[in-house]
Amino acid sequence: MIKKEILGISAVLLIFTFSPVYAQHHSGSLAPPVDFDGLKVALITILSPEDYSFPDAKNPNLSIRFFDSETNTNIKSVTYRVQIFHEDNLVANEYFFDDDGRLDLEIKPKTDCLEKELWKCTKYFGEKHAIAGAYYARGESIPVIQGPVFDKSGQYNVKVSIVGATNPKTMTVKDILFETFVSIPQKEIFQIKDANAQEFPIEIKSYDGEVSNFIFDEESSKISYELESGKHVQHHDANRKQLITMQKDFLSFNEGYNVEVFVEGVKLKKDLVEFDSSSPTENIIRISIPKEDNHDSDHPLKVEIVSGDAINPHNLGFNFQNGFSANVSWDSKLEAGEKIPFTFSFFDKTNDPAENILFAYSITDSAGNEIWSNIGESQEHLGILAPHGVLQEAVLIPISDKYQLKLILTGQNSQNFVEFFTAKSDFSISQSPPQEESTSSVPSWIKNNAGWWSEGIVGDQEFVQSIQFLIIEGILSVTVTESVTTESQDIPIWVKNNAGWWSEGLISERDFVKGVEFLISQGIIRVN
């Protein structure tokens, strides 16, 4: 737990209105509050590393926190019954005790279970509390669960019953049951070769569906693949999440360049794509693909990832009284009104990267109002951990204004400093005035037809003829390529989806035209 003296110092230095519980996204979930002896108590489960998948080198930790949701204060001396299920199969079932309301468990996944009832293969290690009779943490040692837990991809239900609280001798009149879940992504590795025949592994972790038809085009620096609809769906998330990991020396995707992602030919918004270069050995592209209610689940999504333009960074410099320094940078082309990835880089007294640094920050507007902050969420120390001295944070800058960034060094190597070190810097973020939409040259009846066609009111032949008319008359400009004759003349569902989105103004005319050009290339629309 964070010492009271440290919290007192932080109250002076960090005037934050930030709740650590909801600080960052994790593989885990928060169960809604229930009544317990006049308190509104809640429970949260968090899996770390949040992107763990078997057989990653580092074993995952499962953290379970039981707390007063109104004061964000942990409930003391808690006895838990933890049950973990995968696809309705019970894989773990045991009692645990913790003094401070936060239970940490090390998970050691194993895959060699031959029992029909998987929980029979699971073993538990650690010391048992003399009074509570349950496994508990003692010193640096935490309880261990070893067995068929988190060894497969998909969703795991974590059911937690509170059987005692506030005192190891005190049992609740009735068990308080919370149901949460964690999701394990499916990991696939694809080997690609560059022009020098050097091989590079590309790792893709997907939370929703299998990856197929992986292709790398070196000439265009483009990765493409299809995302099949999976049986394990993250119901708690409106987006399909993907993580693409590649080595630092894979030069097709480099630090200092934008990454653009297209799904079914439509470019994803910038805040749905993150290029993380904070690791010294690898780069990670994180993608969030919005789930469309009208998407045909039997049709795979075409995903294309390309290296974009060079980034022109804006930099802020910070110097601290302990001799450390920091640099905060972001793409100067990004504007207010969207989340902007800020890269925090820390350096020690010798100007080398400061390893395992802990920091916090807040951003205030010109009126002195705090618009964003983060102090981390650990119960043991105050601050966000930057393991390699570099960390990226996506920050929502609401409007064009002058802002102040307050950066605080709170500690290093999992220990808070006795005294925190603070530095400030001012910066501005602007926003381009909204552009007037140019009047489309396409007649309104064609847009109406596109919407009706996507809904099945207008037939394929009638819509194809209307598009052919626009092209022949020069009203709709397309790039005509040599068409190929295909056995199937069926129009892909994604082309219909694009037509419907275009009719509703959700995508541009150019995005719609890409679908038309595809139909021409397949010989479905014929143009002389």
Side-chain angles (χ1 to χ4, degrees):
M1 294 295 290
I2 301 172
K3 295 180 179 179
K4 290 182 179 180
E5 308 94 90
I6 295 176
L7 288 175
I9 296 170
S10 67
V12 177
L13 292 178
L14 311 175
I15 311 300
F16 290 166
T17 59
F18 186 80
S19 173
V21 179
Y22 309 101
Q24 299 171 353
H25 55 88
H26 291 272
S27 180
S29 64
L30 172 66
V34 298
D35 185 71
F36 171 61
D37 197 24
L39 302 175
K40 290 293 183 182
V41 293
L43 184 137
I44 187 171
T45 57
I46 297 174
L47 185 70
S48 60
E50 61 177 307
D51 303 321
Y52 171 82
S53 63
F54 185 80
D56 285 357
K58 184 178 181 181
N59 287 333
N61 274 24
L62 180 65
S63 176
I64 301 172
R65 181 175 177 237
F66 182 50
F67 62 100
D68 182 339
S69 63
E70 295 180 342
T71 64
N72 193 30
T73 304
N74 287 5
I75 306 298
K76 305 293 184 181
S77 302
V78 182
T79 303
Y80 310 79
R81 182 189 182 188
V82 178
Q83 295 177 297
I84 303 176
F85 295 82
H86 181 250
E87 296 183 351
D88 297 326
N89 294 314
L90 179 65
V91 297
N93 181 19
E94 189 52 87
Y95 288 88
F96 300 92
F97 173 79
D98 196 83
D99 282 315
D100 61 11
R102 172 168 169 157
L103 174 66
D104 288 308
L105 303 170
E106 181 183 357
I107 310 296
K108 293 185 176 180
K110 293 193 68 178
T111 59
D112 56 356
C113 181
L114 300 178
E115 296 281 354
K116 185 176 181 180
E117 296 176 299
L118 298 178
W119 62 269
K120 292 182 178 180
C121 291
T122 304
K123 298 179 180 180
Y124 308 89
F125 302 92
E127 296 197 39
K128 284 198 171 183
H129 195 277
I131 300 175
Y135 290 98
Y136 79 114
R138 183 173 181 178
E140 297 296 319
S141 176
I142 64 174
V144 175
I145 300 177
Q146 178 180 288
V149 183
F150 305 149
D151 62 321
K152 300 179 182 67
S153 63
Q155 183 168 292
Y156 286 77
N157 284 7
V158 182
K159 295 182 179 180
V160 181
S161 299
I162 306 299
V163 299
T166 69
N167 188 298
K169 293 182 179 180
T170 304
M171 306 301 287
T172 55
V173 176
K174 184 178 179 182
D175 289 0
I176 307 172
L177 176 63
F178 296 94
E179 186 167 354
T180 65
F181 54 83
V182 296
S183 293
I184 305 297
Q186 179 167 312
K187 179 169 69 174
E188 298 175 76
I189 298 177
F190 302 91
Q191 296 288 343
I192 64 174
K193 289 185 179 180
D194 63 9
N196 299 319
Q198 184 177 0
E199 286 195 347
F200 294 93
I202 304 296
E203 178 188 284
I204 300 181
K205 290 186 177 182
S206 174
Y207 284 90
D208 186 10
E210 297 181 359
V211 171
S212 62
N213 297 327
F214 178 92
I215 298 172
F216 171 64
D217 184 347
E218 185 175 17
E219 185 176 347
S220 60
S221 294
K222 179 172 74 174
I223 290 173
S224 63
Y225 56 87
E226 292 183 345
L227 178 62
E228 308 282 348
S229 294
K231 62 182 178 179
H232 303 303
V233 180
Q234 281 184 299
H235 298 289
H236 65 292
D237 202 317
N239 296 330
R240 293 178 168 90
K241 292 185 177 181
Q242 309 259 282
L243 285 92
I244 299 91
T245 303
M246 56 198 68
Q247 296 174 357
K248 282 282 188 185
D249 55 355
F250 180 57
L251 300 181
S252 294
F253 291 86
N254 252 340
E255 184 179 356
Y257 287 83
N258 282 316
V259 172
E260 296 178 344
V261 178
F262 297 84
V263 178
E264 297 293 347
V266 179
K267 184 178 177 180
L268 288 185
K269 294 180 178 179
K270 294 176 182 176
D271 60 354
L272 298 176
V273 181
E274 176 189 344
F275 185 78
D276 184 356
S277 59
S278 59
S279 168
T281 59
E282 60 190 21
N283 293 325
I284 301 175
I285 301 172
R286 293 185 172 90
I287 304 172
S288 295
I289 303 174
K291 294 178 181 176
E292 300 290 347
D293 293 335
N294 61 346
H295 174 66
D296 183 358
S297 60
D298 295 328
H299 174 75
L301 288 173
K302 177 72 175 294
V303 180
E304 297 171 293
I305 307 169
V306 296
S307 182
D309 298 330
I311 293 174
N312 181 21
H314 190 102
N315 296 284
L316 294 178
F318 298 83
N319 293 297
F320 302 95
Q321 289 184 345
N322 65 345
F324 282 42
S325 61
N327 180 72
V328 179
S329 62
W330 66 93
D331 187 352
S332 60
K333 296 177 185 176
L334 299 181
E335 300 181 339
E338 60 186 358
K339 279 192 174 181
I340 297 177
F342 281 66
T343 300
F344 295 79
S345 304
F346 297 91
F347 306 92
D348 61 20
K349 296 176 182 179
T350 61
N351 208 33
D352 290 325
E355 301 282 331
N356 297 314
I357 200 72
L358 293 169
F359 74 100
Y361 70 94
S362 70
I363 298 176
T364 53
D365 61 20
S366 57
N369 299 314
E370 182 184 281
I371 59 107
W372 197 273
S373 62
N374 194 351
I375 62 173
E377 62 170 14
S378 172
Q379 298 297 299
E380 285 72 40
H381 53 253
L382 189 70
I384 313 159
L385 175 63
H388 308 291
V390 180
L391 196 73
Q392 192 174 81
E393 290 261 307
V395 176
L396 177 61
I397 303 295
I399 59 172
S400 299
D401 199 359
K402 292 181 179 180
Y403 295 93
Q404 182 179 87
L405 173 61
K406 179 190 291 184
L407 191 57
I408 306 100
L409 297 185
T410 62
Q412 194 172 21
N413 298 323
S414 301
Q415 296 291 327
N416 280 119
F417 295 139
V418 175
E419 178 184 356
F420 295 166
F421 303 95
T422 306
K424 305 175 184 177
S425 187
D426 297 329
F427 66 99
S428 297
I429 297 286
S430 61
Q431 188 175 26
S432 300
Q435 297 180 351
E436 293 185 8
E437 293 187 7
S438 58
T439 304
S440 173
S441 58
V442 180
S444 60
W445 61 269
I446 291 295
K447 271 201 170 184
N448 293 338
N449 269 15
W452 294 333
W453 176 56
S454 70
E455 296 170 3
I457 299 172
V458 172
D460 290 355
Q461 188 60 33
E462 184 178 349
F463 184 72
V464 166
Q465 288 174 352
S466 66
I467 295 299
Q468 286 174 330
F469 165 79
L470 288 179
I471 297 171
I472 293 170
E473 294 298 320
I475 299 173
L476 187 64
S477 177
V478 297
T479 301
V480 179
T481 57
E482 183 178 348
S483 61
V484 295
T485 302
T486 58
E487 293 182 4
S488 174
Q489 292 291 294
D490 293 338
I491 298 177
I493 188 66
W494 66 266
V495 178
K496 270 196 173 184
N497 286 341
N498 274 13
W501 295 334
W502 175 56
S503 71
E504 297 171 7
L506 299 178
I507 64 174
S508 67
E509 184 177 305
R510 180 60 203 153
D511 288 327
F512 166 68
V513 167
K514 289 178 182 177
V516 175
E517 290 173 345
F518 172 81
L519 297 182
I520 295 173
S521 71
Q522 299 301 300
I524 298 173
I525 293 179
R526 301 183 184 276
V527 181
N528 294 327

